[in-house]
């Protein structure tokens, strides 16, 4: 029995577990319950729903497309969102900053790519055209990123297109997503 039949069940269970952990973190005051739960969910989902090795691969062509995606998204962020807004951040250096960086650069991209662009997009592509599937997933992703709708929509469109047109796997999208998040994080840390 193909595991693709269970993508939506895995997605819903993952979202429920993370939402529960987030609520638990809010009530207990322990801020790292949600990221640690997301990491555990990612490990379990990757084990239950592995991806075939075929696909985009890691040759020069793959690295070129990944670099183009990262560069384009970083330019769009800088020109479209960064330079037009004022920024005042008070960064407290220490181990919490390292944990926040790991969350933004690794855990969050891994969770979002596995849940949205592997499980959800993979499910929708079975019943809808690629264009509709990409738009649907991207709008959901953008809605989940309150206050950043336009940016999240653009980023999701790029990552969904990578999956559909280039046959990128979760790891490819995690690398692109994580590098872009790292760039944005570095902008805030250095200002």
């Amino acid at each position: 029995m193909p595991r693709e039949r269970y993508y939506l069940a895995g997605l819903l269970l993952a979202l429920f577990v993370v939402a529960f952990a987030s609520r638990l973190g809010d009530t207990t005051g322990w801020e790292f319950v949600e990221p640690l739960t997301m990491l555990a969910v990612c490990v379990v989902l990757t084990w239950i729903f592995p991806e075939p090795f075929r696909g985009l691969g890691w040759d020069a062509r793959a690295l070129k497309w990944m670099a183009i995606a990262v560069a384009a998204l970083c330019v769009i962020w800088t020109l479209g969102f960064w330079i037009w807004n004022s920024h005042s951040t008070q960064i407290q250096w220490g181990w919490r900053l390292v944990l926040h960086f790991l969350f933004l650069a690794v855990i969050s991209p891994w969770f979002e790519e596995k849940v949205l662009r592997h499980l959800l997009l993979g499910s929708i592509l079975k019943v809808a055209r690629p264009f509709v599937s990409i738009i649907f997933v991207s709008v959901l992703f953008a809605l989940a990123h309150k206050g950043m709708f336009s940016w999240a929509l653009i980023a999701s469109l790029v990552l969904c297109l990578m999956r559909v047109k280039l046959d990128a796997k979760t790891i490819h999208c995690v690398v692109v997503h994580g590098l872009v998040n790292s760039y944005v994080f570095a902008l805030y840390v250095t200002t």
Side-chain angles (χ1 to χ4, degrees):
M1 190 175 318
R3 292 183 182 186
E4 289 85 12
R5 297 175 66 193
Y6 301 105
Y7 276 6
L8 284 178
L11 170 130
L12 293 174
L13 186 59
L15 293 177
F16 174 78
V17 168
V18 170
F20 178 79
S22 178
R23 181 75 175 134
L24 180 66
D26 290 344
T27 58
T28 62
W30 194 49
E31 63 183 304
F32 294 108
V33 170
E34 183 181 2
L36 291 174
T37 303
M38 287 172 78
L39 180 60
V41 166
C42 287
V43 170
V44 170
L45 288 176
T46 300
W47 177 66
I48 293 173
F49 301 112
E51 293 179 273
F53 290 111
R54 69 188 193 311
L56 183 58
W58 292 98
D59 59 3
R61 177 183 166 268
L63 296 176
K64 176 186 83 171
W65 281 111
M66 291 169 65
I68 289 170
V70 169
L73 289 172
C74 288
V75 166
I76 290 168
W77 172 264
T78 304
L79 298 178
F81 301 96
W82 179 258
I83 63 173
W84 302 107
N85 298 307
S86 61
H87 310 284
S88 62
T89 57
Q90 295 179 348
I91 303 295
Q92 296 178 346
W93 294 91
W95 66 271
R96 287 180 183 266
L97 185 64
V98 172
L99 292 176
H100 285 292
F101 174 75
L102 288 174
F103 176 71
L104 289 171
V106 179
I107 298 169
S108 180
W110 189 9
F111 181 79
E112 291 172 353
E113 296 309 322
K114 192 67 177 176
V115 169
L116 290 173
R117 281 172 275 281
H118 178 187
L119 300 181
L120 183 60
L121 183 62
S123 295
I124 297 172
L125 283 169
K126 302 285 186 211
V127 296
R129 293 177 180 244
F131 176 78
V132 172
S133 304
I134 289 169
I135 296 297
F136 181 78
V137 169
S138 296
V139 167
L140 283 180
F141 182 75
L143 289 171
H145 288 75
K146 298 173 186 133
M148 300 296 298
F149 183 89
S150 299
W151 163 248
L153 181 68
I154 293 166
S156 184
L157 289 170
V158 169
L159 292 163
C160 286
L161 283 168
M162 282 180 58
R163 284 203 67 105
V164 172
K165 296 296 184 185
L166 299 175
D167 198 18
K169 302 302 175 199
T170 298
I171 187 64
H172 298 105
C173 293
V174 169
V175 169
V176 170
H177 193 152
L179 287 172
V180 172
N181 281 5
S182 298
Y183 171 76
V184 172
F185 183 82
L187 286 175
Y188 281 98
V189 169
T190 59
T191 57

